[in-house]
Amino acid sequence: MLLFSVLAAAVAPGLALLTYFYLKDRYDSEPLHMVLRVFVMGVLMVLPIMIIQRGMTIWLGDNPYLEAIVISGGVEEFIKWFVIYHIIYNHTEFDEPYDGILYSVAVSLGFATVENVLYAFAGNASVSAMFLRALLPVSGHAMFAVIMGYYMGRAKFTDGKKKRWYLMLSLILPFFWHALYDVIMNTMVNHWLWFIAPLMAGLWYGAIGKITRANNRSPFRFVKREEEVKL
């Protein structure tokens, strides 16, 4: 019974957050099977990422700053970005700016959910520990994904030089915030809460703003308003 409770606590945050972001799509909801397919892509990314990270740890050594910036933040955000750009970016279902956020979040939460399950089994985690992980690493992966997806969506529906700029931001900014998060958690053992709490609050505040702005740029918002006027 305890095993089931811990497993449920490990899986629930990712699914709850995915549901939250899915329901935030105000104008043109994505096919559920596509969102779940992208979520599974995130699940399948775990093993290759772990292999790459293990190899880099052996090569670079056990340095907390290198682990936070390069091995964790760098590898994870680059592979997420690579998957989104090469599999989702040119897909026909990516037809409004908010879709970038939703699909990026789906990939990240697929990864974060498996990571959470592995932590639960490897560390004999309690339900309280899993609750804390829901507030921090799982939520953190979602926040980094919102940033990635927001700028991916801006790039998708922008022409000219700004397109390349937004694509660069969609990789650089999630990497920066992920690396900062991991540096705090890896190096500030006794004082991490004083830094991580305002960081997460700021990321959530910024994410809500990005969700609103992405929805406001949807080409389908005018269709919805016309339908409301007819009613």
Side-chain angles (χ1 to χ4, degrees), residues 49-63:
I49 286 178
M50 289 177 64
I51 293 171
I52 292 169
Q53 288 177 329
R54 178 58 181 165
M56 293 184 71
T57 300
I58 294 171
W59 178 41
L60 297 174
D62 190 17
N63 182 290

Side-chain angles (χ1 to χ4, degrees), residues 30 34 84 88-101 103 149 152-154 156-157:
E30 296 305 291
M34 270 295 296
I84 292 295
I88 302 301
Y89 184 77
N90 292 312
H91 198 283
T92 53
E93 293 294 346
F94 194 163
D95 53 8
E96 60 174 337
Y98 184 78
D99 294 349
I101 292 177
Y103 288 123
M152 193 77 79
R154 293 297 304 271
K156 173 78 172 181
F157 299 96

Side-chain angles (χ1 to χ4, degrees), residues 31-92:
L32 186 58
H33 73 273
M34 270 295 296
V35 178
L36 294 177
R37 187 180 301 174
V38 174
F39 181 85
V40 172
M41 288 180 191
V43 170
L44 297 176
M45 283 165 38
V46 173
L47 182 58
I49 286 178
M50 289 177 64
I51 293 171
I52 292 169
Q53 288 177 329
R54 178 58 181 165
M56 293 184 71
T57 300
I58 294 171
W59 178 41
L60 297 174
D62 190 17
N63 182 290
Y65 291 98
L66 282 176
E67 195 279 330
I69 297 169
V70 179
I71 299 173
S72 180
V75 171
E76 290 174 15
E77 296 307 322
F78 175 76
I79 293 180
K80 291 176 194 174
W81 182 92
F82 185 88
V83 168
I84 292 295
Y85 181 74
H86 287 281
I87 297 178
I88 302 301
Y89 184 77
N90 292 312
H91 198 283
T92 53

Side-chain angles (χ1 to χ4, degrees), residues 68-175:
I69 297 169
V70 179
I71 299 173
S72 180
V75 171
E76 290 174 15
E77 296 307 322
F78 175 76
I79 293 180
K80 291 176 194 174
W81 182 92
F82 185 88
V83 168
I84 292 295
Y85 181 74
H86 287 281
I87 297 178
I88 302 301
Y89 184 77
N90 292 312
H91 198 283
T92 53
E93 293 294 346
F94 194 163
D95 53 8
E96 60 174 337
Y98 184 78
D99 294 349
I101 292 177
L102 179 58
Y103 288 123
S104 295
V105 165
V107 166
S108 291
L109 288 177
F111 174 84
T113 298
V114 176
E115 189 180 56
N116 226 25
V117 170
L118 292 175
Y119 176 87
F121 282 106
N124 298 316
S126 63
V127 174
S128 59
M130 299 314 298
F131 177 75
L132 183 60
R133 284 186 60 82
L135 294 177
L136 294 178
V138 177
S139 181
H141 277 291
M143 295 304 99
F144 310 143
V146 169
I147 299 169
M148 180 182 294
Y150 174 77
Y151 288 104
M152 193 77 79
R154 293 297 304 271
K156 173 78 172 181
F157 299 96
T158 301
D159 296 321
K161 294 181 179 179
K162 282 188 176 180
K163 180 184 287 287
R164 184 176 299 176
W165 172 244
Y166 285 134
L167 280 174
M168 289 175 59
L169 289 177
S170 71
L171 176 60
I172 293 170
L173 290 179
F175 160 69

Side-chain angles (χ1 to χ4, degrees), residues 189-206:
V189 179
N190 297 320
H191 308 288
W192 61 268
L193 184 60
W194 295 100
F195 296 92
I196 214 69
L199 174 64
M200 291 302 299
L203 288 172
W204 265 105
Y205 179 80

